[in-house]
Amino acid sequence: MHCHDHAEIPRWTLRALALLSAALFCLLPWSNTASAHGSIVDPASRNYGCWERWGDDHMNPAMAQEDPMCWQAWQDDPNAMWNWNGLYRNGVGGNHQGAVPNGQLCSGGHTESGRYNSLDTPGAWKMTNVADNFTVKLYDQASHGADYFRVYVTRQGFDPTTQSMNWSDLQLVRETGRYAPSQNISIDVNTSGYSGRHVVYTIWQASHMDQAYYLCSDVNFG
């Protein structure tokens, strides 16, 4: 009987540990989902594009020559890319220009303790080719929904490779109404008169709380 007891102890201990491990494992996806947000994935926002292209190879020194704007972003703060879905400000109350100063539009006014500051840096960010009529696609992991989107394009003549972006450089091309919670939202945009390199600037006012996202996407109007 004594030997039997000793044999049972490790089995029950292992079983308890296995159950604990399973419980902890089950918690992991839940916590990731709870903290998930979203971004514009097409045309890719600056930090989403850098994560998409280099997330599995972000230490590669070749990035410095092949994709220098992403290189400076990864060097400045890799968490800007790992948290590509967290570029937002809470409690803005619709006063976007008051909350986000000129020159800080792509970082959401140095939100999140400056995590995204590298996104404000002028330079030759990788572009997505678009036509006059294109679609802005949001991937919203947490299905926040939207009170509205505002989509802007930088004015013709503005050069994002050398100039910091100000509110006066933006032209509103689309303002939407509400969107029900969904992981994938598409916004059709119709423009004319744009050619060459521009920034598409999207403000996403989420509807689950007063949370506003500020997203810069580099495009080339063909």
Side-chain angles (χ1 to χ4, degrees):
M1 189 63 156
H2 186 68
C3 291
H4 179 74
D5 288 344
H6 276 284
E8 285 296 321
I9 290 167
R11 272 210 292 276
W12 282 106
T13 304
L14 287 171
R15 188 177 176 193
L17 285 171
L19 287 169
L20 180 62
S21 298
L24 287 172
F25 181 78
C26 287
L27 283 174
L28 288 175
W30 172 257
S31 43
N32 285 343
T33 305
S35 63
H37 301 287
S39 188
I40 300 300
V41 297
D42 185 22
S45 63
R46 287 180 173 178
N47 57 332
Y48 177 80
C50 289
W51 173 80
E52 188 179 39
R53 289 192 295 277
W54 297 100
D56 58 356
D57 196 22
H58 71 283
M59 303 295 285
N60 189 339
M63 193 196 321
Q65 280 71 48
E66 296 174 17
D67 202 347
M69 299 314 295
C70 282
W71 176 255
Q72 63 87 31
W74 281 102
Q75 296 300 304
D76 182 63
D77 193 339
N79 285 319
M81 276 59 71
W82 301 132
N83 294 282
W84 55 263
N85 54 10
L87 205 171
Y88 61 83
R89 298 184 72 91
N90 289 327
V92 169
N95 185 15
H96 304 294
Q97 293 192 34
V100 179
N102 283 330
Q104 300 178 17
L105 274 66
C106 296
S107 68
H110 293 178
T111 194
E112 295 295 302
S113 302
R115 175 190 293 162
Y116 302 99
N117 289 7
S118 63
L119 307 183
D120 290 320
T121 308
W125 293 87
K126 293 282 186 182
M127 298 182 291
T128 301
N129 292 322
V130 296
D132 284 351
N133 302 330
F134 62 97
T135 302
V136 172
K137 296 178 181 177
L138 175 84
Y139 178 57
D140 174 10
Q141 287 171 297
S143 297
H144 289 323
D147 287 347
Y148 58 82
F149 292 90
R150 290 179 188 162
V151 182
Y152 301 82
V153 175
T154 50
R155 58 181 171 76
Q156 195 67 29
F158 174 76
D159 184 359
T161 68
T162 60
Q163 297 173 268
S164 293
M165 199 165 74
N166 298 328
W167 287 101
S168 59
D169 296 316
L170 300 178
Q171 297 176 329
L172 183 66
V173 294
R174 178 76 201 275
E175 182 163 12
T176 77
R178 294 179 63 85
Y179 284 79
S182 173
Q183 286 198 326
N184 294 285
I185 293 176
S186 294
I187 304 134
D188 291 328
V189 179
N190 302 316
T191 71
S192 63
Y194 296 115
S195 63
R197 177 185 286 275
H198 286 270
V199 176
V200 173
Y201 189 62
T202 305
I203 297 175
W204 164 30
Q205 182 69 47
S207 57
H208 69 300
M209 61 181 289
D210 183 5
Q211 189 170 82
Y213 293 72
Y214 303 97
L215 307 165
C216 284
S217 303
D218 295 271
V219 301
N220 177 51
F221 282 92

